[in-house]
Amino acid sequence: MQQLRNETIGSPSPHRAPRRFRPRLVRAGLAALLAAGGLFTAQSGSAGAAQNPYERGPAPTVSSIEAPRGPYAVSETRVSSLGVTGFGGGTLYYPTTTRDGTFGAVAISPGYGGTQSSISWLGPRLASQGFVVFTIDTLSTLDQPAGRGGQLLAALDYLTQRSSVRDRVDSGRLGVMGHSMGGGGSLEAAKSRPALQAAIPLTGWNLDKTWQELRTPTLVVGADGDTIAPVSSHSEPFYESLAGSLDKAYLELNGASHFTPNSSNTTIAKYSVSWLKRFIDNDLRYEQFLCPLPRPGATIEEYRGNCPHTS
């Protein structure tokens, strides 16, 4: 078992500041008003909502993020390939309620030879935690990572501009995920569109091993028993190449294979939910599950990352 490492993070990239909500600044302003006897004194009970308007759902617990379903009831809508361009259609999963305003969204690509059915378990699982999720089919099951990256972006554009649930989505809070070549595609998408808030390659495969240009907080998930995209030649180089100033993490699953992300998996879900909540919703309530760094155990071979996060 490799030794757990805690890496030091520098300052966030300056171009992220204008578009990301900065709760520390709000807290500082609120503290100044309170100290001056400002009018927010009587409203301290709503301070959490004031600090981050993107929080969705109740305060998280280990049980809630490990549960097969979160607090939101989920609806789904099939999207035909005949009505879209740039990708192969898919399925939208989204919270049924409209009372909580808009939600962040994530598009997910299958791997080489696969269809959306291979990653469909992530749809309702993530959506029930408060996201709009788009599991997609690719134009061809043989598409390479660069093609899958472009298709993830086309799917997000369709989702936010033309889909039946576009009014439920906050177009400024988007992420990408993918399995195998779809995971490599998620890195390609983040490279092409730095405004993305989160990327999660799952046992990712890509001939490109260097991603120092990425500006999107990235959780790289590998598997210790992967013989198709071994961590030594894929997930680990991906992670190590990411800039030291970037919020990043490396989760290596214990007793897992390349195809582990194709079935419901509590560890993948737990840390994917936490990562997406932390960086798409900027929900600091989920920082506790990422920092201090999770320790190796029955399902985790190794976890590396930057703590504390600053994005």
Side-chain angles (χ1 to χ4, degrees):
M1 183 175 295
Q2 300 181 49
Q3 184 177 359
L4 183 69
R5 302 193 309 188
N6 186 5
E7 301 174 3
T8 303
I9 189 165
S11 300
S13 300
H15 80 282
R16 298 185 67 83
R19 63 180 178 83
R20 181 173 294 283
F21 186 76
R22 299 291 182 181
R24 288 191 295 270
L25 299 178
V26 176
R27 286 198 293 269
L30 180 58
L33 284 171
L34 290 172
L39 87 146
F40 290 105
T41 302
Q43 299 179 354
S44 59
S46 61
Q51 289 170 14
N52 183 8
Y54 304 141
E55 286 184 6
R56 298 291 182 268
T61 64
V62 171
S63 295
S64 73
I65 62 173
E66 291 183 346
R69 291 292 182 272
Y72 288 97
V74 173
S75 298
E76 63 181 79
T77 299
R78 177 75 187 192
V79 177
S80 170
S81 61
L82 301 178
V84 302
T85 56
F87 66 107
T91 303
L92 291 166
Y93 302 86
Y94 50 94
T96 302
T97 182
T98 57
R99 292 194 300 262
D100 288 354
T102 57
F103 295 89
V106 57
I108 310 176
S109 168
Y112 185 84
T115 65
Q116 63 166 317
S117 63
S118 66
I119 38 89
S120 62
W121 72 273
L122 284 161
R125 188 138 186 182
L126 298 179
S128 68
Q129 296 285 352
F131 294 101
V132 176
V133 182
F134 200 178
T135 59
I136 69 167
D137 280 318
T138 48
L139 294 172
S140 164
T141 59
L142 308 182
D143 287 332
Q144 298 296 298
R148 292 170 191 269
Q151 291 176 62
L152 283 167
L153 296 180
L156 288 175
D157 291 341
Y158 170 83
L159 173 61
T160 57
Q161 299 168 20
R162 296 177 49 209
S163 75
S164 60
V165 297
R166 60 188 180 278
D167 292 340
R168 298 172 183 260
V169 179
D170 184 338
S171 61
R173 297 190 289 125
L174 304 175
V176 287
M177 297 178 65
H179 170 242
S180 190
M181 283 194 183
S186 71
L187 295 171
E188 300 278 359
K191 176 181 176 179
S192 297
R193 190 171 295 180
L196 291 174
Q197 305 292 299
I200 306 178
L202 303 169
T203 59
W205 190 99
N206 199 311
L207 291 176
D208 187 349
K209 311 301 180 183
T210 57
W211 300 93
Q212 65 274 6
E213 66 271 56
L214 261 63
R215 297 296 178 265
T216 297
T218 300
L219 168 63
V220 178
V221 179
D224 63 347
D226 194 336
T227 58
I228 295 175
V231 294
S232 61
S233 58
H234 289 80
S235 293
E236 287 188 304
F238 297 163
Y239 171 79
E240 293 292 347
S241 72
L242 296 171
S245 59
L246 181 70
D247 282 323
K248 61 179 183 174
Y250 171 74
L251 166 62
E252 185 174 322
L253 302 170
N254 185 28
S257 77
H258 183 71
F259 298 103
T260 293
N262 291 156
S263 301
S264 180
N265 183 281
T266 297
T267 303
I268 290 174
K270 175 180 181 178
Y271 293 104
S272 295
V273 167
S274 298
W275 196 262
L276 298 174
K277 283 286 191 177
R278 174 61 182 81
F279 294 105
I280 290 182
D281 288 355
N282 207 26
D283 193 336
L284 300 183
R285 299 178 300 174
Y286 288 81
E287 182 81 350
Q288 62 182 304
F289 308 115
L290 303 170
C291 294
L293 299 180
R295 299 187 63 82
T299 63
I300 298 177
E301 172 68 18
E302 181 184 5
Y303 194 104
R304 311 177 203 169
N306 302 80
C307 285
H309 299 120
T310 60
S311 295

